[in-house]
Amino acid sequence: MSDLTGKRYWLVGASEGLGAALAAKLSGVGADVVLSARNKAGLEEVAAGLPRQAEVVTVDIADDDSVAKAAKEVGDVDGVVLLAGVYWPMAATEWKADEAVTMADVNFTGFLRVLGHMVPQMVEKDDGHIVITGSLSGFRGLPGAIGYGATKAGVMSLAESMRADLRKTGVRVQLANPGFIKTRLTDKNAFKMPFLMTPEEAAQEMLELMFDEDAFDRHFPRVFSWVFRLSRFLPNWLYYRIFA
């Protein structure tokens, strides 16, 4: 069991939703948090509601210079949690190039930008904690998920590769794969979302993962995650008959 008391964590994507909820959880257990996103007013509102004093550093993870500036301002941390993301429901029959590219640039490449600054310094000191937010939608291709599902599949592969490379070092890598969370992003969905979680419920799952030193990943809600995890073993003809 990890002790996060007094640890300094950089939360990227913390102005609302899951990021804001996790900031409250971490602050509540004694961690010092640095909150980042594009929305400074939103970050300051989150910071004002935390039990411990928090730092606010704005960043646009789709911009190289913005990430470099933020990473320099944040400096040395014990851990980084990547939560930022954008989402538009999109089928291949109704492709919107600008939105698809934006999802890729924020949800995947944005993570690479941040990690490019933080991982080398953690490797050098042989100490650090990286938590990457994937999604149950990343296990196999889903209808209406052009852009988002692909970025989450990439993020999941990224975390797995990092785990393979860093598992014998002092740098701990973890992957959180949530299902549907009630946010302004999922409000865009026109379909019924089973096992819909509140941001607070999802943040508790992530906090428990972060406390578990032996765990690499967590998929939640657990029962709902079985649908996606087991789908990998279905033959293509059956998978697409069921899911498409």
Side-chain angles (χ1 to χ4, degrees):
M1 181 71 73
S2 281
D3 183 4
L4 305 182
T5 304
K7 300 291 186 180
R8 187 166 178 260
Y9 276 83
W10 185 16
L11 275 61
V12 182
S15 61
E16 59 183 312
L18 175 58
L22 183 59
K25 297 282 186 183
L26 286 171
S27 184
V29 298
D32 297 318
V33 294
V34 183
L35 309 177
S36 285
R38 291 181 300 172
N39 183 356
K40 185 177 182 179
L43 293 172
E44 291 175 342
E45 183 177 349
V46 172
L50 299 181
R52 294 170 63 88
Q53 187 172 0
E55 302 170 62
V56 169
V57 177
T58 57
V59 67
D60 178 0
I61 65 171
D63 182 87
D64 291 336
D65 292 338
S66 178
V67 173
K69 180 180 177 182
K72 184 176 181 179
E73 184 175 349
V74 171
D76 186 45
V77 294
D78 296 292
V80 57
V81 187
L82 296 168
L83 302 128
V86 293
Y87 166 69
W88 291 276
M90 188 187 307
T93 53
E94 299 175 351
W95 199 295
K96 297 179 181 177
D98 56 341
E99 292 178 355
V101 170
T102 298
M103 282 188 275
D105 206 26
V106 173
N107 301 354
F108 179 69
T109 310
F111 283 21
L112 292 177
R113 289 188 181 94
V114 174
L115 292 170
H117 289 275
M118 306 311 293
V119 173
Q121 62 180 269
M122 289 182 177
V123 170
E124 183 176 357
K125 66 180 182 179
D126 197 32
D127 185 55
H129 188 189
I130 298 163
V131 184
I132 295 175
T133 307
S135 169
L136 296 183
S137 67
F139 279 105
R140 284 193 76 167
L142 293 168
I146 291 297
Y148 189 79
T151 62
K152 289 304 181 180
V155 161
M156 291 163 65
S157 178
L158 169 65
E160 291 165 355
S161 294
M162 291 175 62
R163 166 71 172 177
D165 289 335
L166 299 172
R167 66 188 182 88
K168 293 185 178 181
T169 73
V171 183
R172 187 158 59 109
V173 179
Q174 293 185 306
L175 170 66
N177 288 324
F180 295 114
I181 304 172
K182 177 65 176 175
T183 66
R184 65 177 177 84
L185 297 183
T186 54
D187 285 344
K188 298 176 182 179
N189 289 332
F191 55 87
K192 183 178 180 180
M193 293 171 281
F195 295 92
L196 183 66
M197 294 177 290
T198 66
E200 290 71 26
E201 289 170 334
Q204 181 62 35
E205 294 276 2
M206 289 193 69
L207 183 68
E208 292 175 10
L209 171 66
M210 293 173 69
F211 270 123
D212 190 345
E213 292 185 348
D214 297 323
F216 164 60
D217 54 13
R218 178 173 283 211
H219 320 286
F220 51 92
R222 181 175 299 177
V223 174
F224 189 42
S225 76
W226 292 343
V227 175
F228 297 88
R229 295 161 71 184
L230 292 174
S231 74
R232 293 177 296 177
F233 301 100
L234 295 177
N236 287 334
W237 68 266
L238 181 57
Y239 174 79
Y240 287 111
R241 179 171 294 180
I242 295 173
F243 284 84

